[in-house]
Amino acid sequence: LVHERFVQCVHLFTRFLQRMQRNLQSDRQVSHEFSQCVVQLQHGSQALERRQSTLGPMLQALQEERAETEQSIAGVRDREAELTAEVAAAQEELDRAQNLLGVVQRQAEQELLRVTPMYERAAQELSTLKRDFVQEMRSYAHPPPAVLLALQPVCLL
């Protein structure tokens, strides 16, 4: 009975050792896989550091360019606002000038309507002048004021 118990204990101990050996092999495999993962992570980390060292200056340059671009945009917007104000002021001045021109044109047209009959009558009277009358006027070295007053409009025509 002791011998049987001893054999059973040895048998149990052997099974235990086999299980331990399988667990150990499994643990070694897991450990090996884990080590490979760690190595891959280290390689990935190194690659990332290299990329960061390359991208860092690029990122800084891009940020500086962005700041400059934003300043340029702000300058353009300010200039646009200035030009818009200048255009509005010029448009107001143009509108005033056009209004004034319209008033002057209407006044000129009214004045033309008023003086046109006088002009036509003067043109008719001018056609009735005789050559002798004009020669008499030329003969005056110093014509009288009434003659000067009468001939000034004729000279303008």
Side-chain angles (χ1 to χ4, degrees):
L1 194 48
V2 172
H3 181 55
E4 260 181 50
R5 287 245 184 224
F6 180 73
V7 171
Q8 282 179 347
C9 282
V10 170
H11 183 60
L12 283 173
F13 187 69
T14 305
R15 283 178 42 198
F16 173 74
L17 286 177
Q18 287 174 347
R19 279 188 198 156
M20 291 297 284
Q21 188 177 14
R22 280 192 303 262
N23 286 344
L24 183 61
Q25 286 176 351
S26 176
D27 288 348
R28 282 183 187 159
Q29 186 177 1
V30 168
S31 175
H32 178 70
E33 290 172 4
F34 181 74
S35 295
Q36 287 178 340
C37 286
V38 168
V39 168
Q40 288 176 355
L41 284 174
Q42 287 173 343
H43 288 305
S45 176
Q46 290 170 353
L48 182 61
E49 288 174 5
R50 283 192 304 270
R51 286 185 183 143
Q52 284 177 339
S53 67
T54 303
L55 293 177
M58 292 171 112
L59 179 61
Q60 183 178 358
L62 285 174
Q63 288 171 338
E64 290 171 1
E65 285 183 33
R66 180 181 182 178
E68 290 173 8
T69 301
E70 288 174 351
Q71 287 177 346
S72 295
I73 289 171
V76 166
R77 286 187 178 142
D78 291 345
R79 185 65 180 137
E80 178 186 26
E82 291 171 5
L83 291 175
T84 301
E86 288 178 20
V87 166
Q91 184 64 46
E92 288 177 13
E93 187 175 331
L94 178 63
D95 291 344
R96 283 193 300 272
Q98 286 177 335
N99 289 339
L100 181 60
L101 180 62
V103 168
V104 169
Q105 183 178 5
R106 285 189 294 280
Q107 288 174 348
E109 288 171 353
Q110 289 173 354
E111 186 66 18
L112 183 62
L113 289 174
R114 187 181 71 77
V115 296
T116 298
M118 289 185 242
Y119 171 77
E120 290 172 354
R121 194 173 64 235
Q124 273 182 341
E125 293 295 325
L126 188 60
S127 67
T128 62
L129 282 179
K130 302 222 185 287
R131 185 178 194 128
D132 294 338
F133 178 73
V134 173
Q135 284 181 350
E136 181 183 341
M137 294 304 129
R138 279 189 193 161
S139 68
Y140 289 129
H142 298 286
V147 171
L148 284 176
L149 185 64
L151 288 181
Q152 281 176 347
V154 171
C155 290
L156 291 176
L157 294 175

